[in-house]
Amino acid sequence: MRRAPPLRAFRATAYEAAGAVARIGRRSAAVDALLARHGVAQAGFITAWNPLSRRMPQGWNHRMQARLHQSARGRLLAEGWGRAKGWAEHHLLLEGDPRRLAVLARRFRQWAIVTVAPRQPARLRWAVQPPRAG
């Protein structure tokens, strides 16, 4: 049985790309500016590291991230990191409809993506339905 994703960890993480930082539930003027520079209306932070929140070896994470980068097919806006206390993962900020980005995240066995849009708070969007508690 799958264990539930660490929701607190997602909320505690700072998602950074090209110096712009997004936090779930908050707006970011720096993210707005980054999206405007690229003429983008929607984007999402995606990683291939640590599928379903299971720590994987560094080499494995790098190989999977390289595959994600190849799969991005011209959608890459910037590379960056998701960081929280005791946890860091390499991320890509990709342009696109959140539904399509969630499909890509599922392919790399990720619980969720963090979506951003101008003048909107960053949002956690599940790619894989988490198991019910209880």
Side-chain angles (χ1 to χ4, degrees), residues 47-127:
T47 186
W49 281 35
N50 304 315
L52 298 176
S53 302
R54 291 197 174 102
R55 286 192 189 266
M56 297 298 285
Q58 192 86 333
W60 190 95
N61 281 331
H62 287 294
R63 284 191 304 278
M64 292 301 104
Q65 194 71 7
R67 288 182 185 165
L68 172 61
H69 197 284
Q70 289 173 338
S71 297
R73 296 193 182 131
R75 296 180 183 187
L76 180 67
L77 300 179
E79 296 189 40
W81 288 88
R83 289 190 171 94
K85 186 177 182 179
W87 190 266
E89 294 181 332
H90 188 226
H91 280 80
L92 302 179
L93 179 61
L94 303 179
E95 179 273 329
D97 181 307
R99 293 168 296 193
R100 293 179 63 93
L101 297 178
V103 169
L104 185 59
R106 273 193 297 280
R107 188 180 326 155
F108 287 91
R109 298 181 313 161
Q110 297 299 310
W111 284 118
I113 61 174
V114 174
T115 60
V116 291
R119 297 171 305 284
Q120 299 291 319
R123 180 175 168 225
L124 184 68
R125 182 180 186 104
W126 295 112

Side-chain angles (χ1 to χ4, degrees), residues 11-61:
R11 289 190 175 140
T13 299
Y15 301 89
E16 178 275 330
V21 177
R23 290 186 178 274
I24 294 169
R26 298 184 193 168
R27 288 179 55 190
S28 168
V31 170
D32 288 354
L34 177 61
L35 297 178
R37 274 196 307 275
H38 288 279
V40 169
Q42 301 178 89
F45 289 89
I46 301 178
T47 186
W49 281 35
N50 304 315
L52 298 176
S53 302
R54 291 197 174 102
R55 286 192 189 266
M56 297 298 285
Q58 192 86 333
W60 190 95
N61 281 331

